């Protein structure tokens, strides 16, 4: 199996020579993810950000209309924070003396291994990785007591339901549909769906210029749900092809680089990072939804949700901005106001 994978990598590297190192790295990362197991416990934090020239993500005016059965917005339905809560999930974490966290290892500035590192054992780093370290620090007293497990986009919910991980910190949008399957913390980041396309594209944004275009999205993503809704309601032309889905969002960038699709739809925060990596693509149009990232946990881990919410309440006061400046200011801009989530107006209890 490994030998076949290495041959595939070499073939794809050769085929991507025209795209330079960025294209090859994206393909390699996508293939590497298939074989990723539990990653080293110890992680690192960057010492500073370097501007990468990526485009900003201006806030659009059209917001998602997701409302749960109670008519509260999903980002306002988490459990009330508590630093005293303890349940079986927390007891297990304390007994193991580590937290297992599902993450991405290929999302630039979110959860990734620095491709420019001279260290053969480069550790995971990024905005989501900082949050995982902070949770470990608050629950176990040591930020390094984390076992990271790389999971593709389509495995985020099954990994929680099957007990592979204690939580998922992986640019995961809080939505009503997902809340039927897993529990979420309060939001820790605000973004919106946006289009990523070649700089030569004729696409102008979400709407009629997507006619006859082939779009790539990650399976089970909110981007796919939004596009499906758009087709059903007539906001997208009937000729827009949204049939191609992939297990991992980075695979869409590879398909775009190979010319197999006309555009990618994903969160603007992720798209900005990918545009910063590849100078041949750009963000097109404004964000056309409003999304909130949350830490996902098993539905039965109610007290763990409360503990994580307390961590986030404190983190938003004294750690969030530092992490944003370190990892995301180079791709999203120095003004973090559009990305900082509002404090929950209400909890579910």
């Amino acid at each position: 199996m490994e030998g076949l994978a290495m041959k595939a990598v070499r073939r794809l590297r050769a085929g991507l020579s025209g795209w330079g190192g960025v294209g090859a790295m994206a393909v390699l990362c996508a293939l590497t993810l298939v074989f990723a197991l539990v990653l080293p416990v110890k992680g690192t934090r960057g010492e500073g950000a370097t501007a990468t020239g990526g485009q900003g993500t201006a806030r659009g005016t059209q917001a998602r209309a997701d409302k749960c059965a109670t008519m509260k917005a999903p980002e306002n339905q988490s459990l009330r924070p508590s630093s005293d809560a303890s349940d079986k999930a927390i007891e297990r974490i304390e007994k193991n003396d580590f937290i297992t966290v599902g993450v991405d290892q290929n999302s630039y500035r979110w959860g990734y291994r620095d491709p420019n590192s001279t260290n053969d054992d480069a550790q995971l780093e990024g905005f989501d990785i900082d949050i995982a370290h902070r949770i470990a620090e608050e629950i176990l007293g040591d930020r390094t007591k984390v076992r990271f497990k790389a999971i593709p986009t389509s495995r985020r919910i099954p990994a929680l339901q099957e007990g592979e991980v204690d939580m998922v910190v992986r640019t995961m949008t809080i939505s009503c549909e997902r809340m039927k399957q897993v529990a979420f913390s309060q939001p820790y980041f605000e973004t919106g769906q946006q289009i990523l396309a070649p700089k030569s594209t004729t696409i102008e944004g979400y709407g009629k210029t997507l006619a006859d275009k082939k779009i790539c999205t990650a399976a089970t993503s909110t981007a796919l749900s939004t596009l499906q809704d758009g087709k059903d309601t007539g906001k997208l032309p009937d000729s827009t092809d949204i049939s191609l889905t992939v297990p991992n969002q980075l695979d869409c960038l590879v398909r775009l680089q190979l010319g197999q699709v006309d555009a990618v739809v994903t969160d603007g925060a992720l798209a900005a990072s990918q545009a910063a990596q590849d100078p041949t693509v750009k963000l097109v149009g404004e964000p056309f939804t409003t999304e909130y990232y949350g830490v996902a946990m098993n539905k039965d881990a109610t007290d763990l949700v409360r503990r994580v919410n307390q961590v986030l309440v404190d983190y938003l006061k004294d750690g969030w901005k530092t992490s944003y400046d370190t990892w995301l200011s180079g791709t999203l801009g120095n003004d973090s106001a559009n990305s900082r989530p509002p404090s929950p107006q209400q909890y579910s209890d």
Side-chain angles (χ1 to χ4, degrees):
M1 182 71 175
E2 183 177 353
L4 291 174
M6 292 302 100
K7 290 179 182 179
V9 169
R10 287 194 290 271
R11 286 197 298 270
L12 283 169
R13 288 181 68 178
L16 282 170
S17 59
W19 285 88
V22 172
M25 184 187 76
V27 176
L28 288 171
C29 289
L31 287 172
T32 299
L33 186 58
V34 177
F35 304 99
L37 298 175
V38 175
L39 303 174
V41 175
K42 185 177 180 181
T44 60
R45 181 180 180 127
E47 297 300 324
T50 301
T52 55
Q55 297 93 333
T57 54
R59 180 67 51 212
T61 57
Q62 178 183 354
R64 293 188 64 195
D66 281 354
K67 297 291 181 183
C68 298
T70 60
M71 298 307 291
K72 292 181 185 177
E75 64 272 13
N76 288 332
Q77 294 199 45
S78 192
L79 298 173
R80 193 170 302 279
S82 173
S83 58
D84 299 323
S86 180
D87 58 11
K88 290 183 178 179
I90 297 175
E91 291 173 0
R92 182 182 65 251
I93 289 170
E94 292 176 339
K95 180 179 179 180
N96 291 336
D97 204 30
F98 62 81
I99 301 176
T100 304
V101 182
V103 296
D104 197 350
Q105 65 172 0
N106 301 314
S107 288
Y108 184 56
R109 299 289 185 174
W110 288 89
Y112 76 119
R113 298 181 188 277
D114 185 355
N116 299 314
S117 174
T118 58
N119 187 350
D120 292 336
D121 188 29
Q123 303 298 313
L124 282 171
E125 56 189 21
F127 190 83
D128 278 346
I129 305 304
D130 279 0
I131 291 175
H133 283 308
R134 180 63 174 262
I135 292 172
E137 181 179 359
E138 294 297 323
I139 293 179
L140 296 173
D142 186 341
R143 68 187 303 275
T144 68
K145 290 184 175 181
V146 184
R147 290 190 179 179
F148 293 114
K149 185 167 186 178
I151 53 175
T153 307
S154 60
R155 283 288 303 166
R156 292 178 296 189
I157 289 176
L160 287 167
Q161 293 176 327
E162 296 166 16
E164 294 179 25
V165 296
D166 296 310
M167 61 187 66
V168 170
V169 187
R170 194 187 182 286
T171 58
M172 189 170 179
T173 297
I174 304 167
S175 73
C176 292
E177 186 62 33
R178 288 173 176 170
M179 288 175 64
K180 299 174 184 177
Q181 305 172 78
V182 297
F184 278 98
S185 71
Q186 66 182 57
Y188 67 82
F189 199 87
E190 181 176 345
T191 183
Q193 296 296 323
Q194 204 161 4
I195 296 170
L196 185 71
K199 287 187 174 178
S200 59
T201 188
T202 59
I203 297 171
E204 297 176 2
Y206 181 78
K208 62 182 180 181
T209 58
L210 289 176
D212 302 316
K213 303 300 184 183
K214 189 169 187 177
I215 312 300
C216 181
T217 58
T220 74
S221 66
T222 52
L224 176 59
S225 300
T226 300
L227 293 179
Q228 289 172 333
D229 290 344
K231 295 270 283 188
D232 293 341
T233 59
K235 294 178 181 178
L236 278 184
D238 289 338
S239 62
T240 304
D241 184 353
I242 62 172
S243 61
L244 179 62
T245 62
V246 294
N248 198 47
Q249 197 279 321
L250 182 67
D251 297 339
C252 279
L253 177 61
V254 176
R255 298 297 185 102
L256 185 65
Q257 292 170 331
L258 292 173
Q260 296 176 354
V261 296
D262 299 298
V264 173
V265 173
T266 187
D267 304 338
L270 290 176
S273 293
Q274 292 174 359
Q277 289 178 281
D278 188 342
T280 68
V281 301
K282 66 177 181 178
L283 294 171
V284 179
E286 294 184 344
F288 50 91
T289 68
T290 299
E291 316 261 336
Y292 297 93
Y293 294 156
V295 178
M297 288 155 278
N298 189 283
K299 280 185 70 70
D300 294 331
T302 55
D303 278 7
L304 180 59
V305 174
R306 296 179 192 276
R307 288 284 292 272
V308 170
N309 277 344
Q310 186 60 60
V311 173
L312 291 176
V313 167
D314 298 336
Y315 187 65
L316 286 167
K317 296 176 182 176
D318 66 8
W320 188 94
K321 181 62 164 56
T322 298
S323 186
Y324 179 94
D325 290 343
T326 300
W327 300 114
L328 304 180
S329 60
T331 55
L332 297 178
N334 292 327
D335 184 1
S336 63
N338 288 336
S339 301
R340 188 179 183 89
S343 299
Q345 300 301 305
Q346 50 192 317
Y347 294 96
S348 64
D349 68 338

